[in-house]
Amino acid sequence: MRLRLDGTDPARSGYLAGAIDVSAVIAALADEHGLSEREGEVLGLLYRGNTQKKIAERLFLSVNSIQTYAKSLYRKLGVHSRQELIDMVNEAMDKGDRAR
């Protein structure tokens, strides 16, 4: 069993439920910014740390196609790097947590 840095058990502290929220937040961002279904899928995979090559293999597409989807979703989201994309999703998650 792995514990968090604070010593708590993630399975007992709602950690797994939080993972489900990430998909909902990504879907909401995709909808809000007019992303296509494929762009939303690429967004989620980029957020989760996958390389473009790994995403291409997973989706049975070329790396060039993934680069095109990534450029398009970066433009639509108004971000310029993967870190900005991650920060945007994390901020949306924080707003959702505060709304509860």
Side-chain angles (χ1 to χ4, degrees):
M1 169 177 41
R2 283 193 158 168
L3 299 178
R4 289 186 183 165
L5 291 176
D6 64 4
T8 60
D9 180 355
R12 294 185 182 192
S13 61
Y15 177 80
L16 296 176
I20 296 167
D21 291 341
V22 172
S23 295
V25 167
I26 289 171
L29 278 173
D31 188 49
E32 178 182 333
H33 292 275
L35 302 184
S36 69
E37 186 175 333
R38 184 65 87 180
E39 288 168 338
E41 194 172 12
V42 172
L43 167 61
L45 292 167
L46 286 171
Y47 174 78
R48 289 174 178 89
N50 292 281
T51 64
Q52 290 185 356
K53 181 179 178 184
K54 191 70 169 176
I55 295 169
E57 291 169 1
R58 182 173 178 163
L59 300 180
F60 303 103
L61 296 170
S62 71
V63 174
N64 286 336
S65 292
I66 299 305
Q67 289 172 341
T68 300
Y69 285 120
K71 285 179 187 178
S72 178
L73 72 92
Y74 277 36
R75 180 181 46 78
K76 290 178 179 180
L77 293 174
V79 298
H80 300 94
S81 68
R82 183 184 297 236
Q83 187 58 55
E84 286 181 16
L85 179 146
I86 290 168
D87 291 344
M88 176 181 261
V89 174
N90 288 340
E91 286 174 21
M93 287 178 51
D94 289 345
K95 288 178 185 175
D97 283 345
R98 281 187 247 134
R100 287 184 192 181

